[in-house]
Amino acid sequence: MNEIITIIDLLALGVFAISGALAAGERKLDILGFILFGTITGIGGGTARDLLLDANPVFWIADTRYLWVGILVSVATWFMAPLFHSLRKVLLWAD
């Protein structure tokens, strides 16, 4: 059961990272901007949660899969941004 929750959590992080990376695309940023916007958007909420709850270490430091998913999804979004723009309404709903 824990593995299913982790997979759903990683998928949700991927959706958030796509929306953040698309925001970088609207500002015409390069791939580093996509990675920065996407990863921060993906892990930002959980990081704030862990800091407020005083969880040590923060979730993406304890399990680096979260950080790597954010980075990889952001890079993929950089390459496939036109496709994701056509799916914007679906992504906003999922977000």
Side-chain angles (χ1 to χ4, degrees):
M1 187 64 171
N2 284 339
E3 195 62 33
I4 292 171
I5 292 172
T6 302
I7 290 169
I8 292 171
D9 202 22
L10 289 169
L11 289 172
L13 186 140
V15 170
F16 290 131
I18 290 170
S19 66
L22 288 176
E26 291 172 359
R27 288 164 181 78
K28 307 281 191 240
L29 297 179
D30 61 356
I31 192 167
L32 183 60
F34 271 72
I35 293 170
L36 185 68
F37 273 47
T39 304
I40 288 175
T41 303
I43 65 172
T47 301
R49 175 203 62 217
D50 285 355
L51 292 175
L52 289 171
L53 295 176
D54 198 28
N56 276 333
V58 178
F59 76 100
W60 54 269
I61 293 174
D63 186 357
T64 57
R65 288 183 295 178
Y66 290 96
L67 186 61
W68 285 110
V69 165
I71 292 169
L72 293 174
V73 167
S74 299
V75 170
T77 304
W78 186 71
F79 287 108
M80 300 185 305
L83 171 68
F84 287 129
H85 279 296
S86 65
L87 300 172
R88 185 142 179 93
K89 287 184 182 182
V90 173
L91 288 170
L92 286 176
W93 183 82
D95 193 9

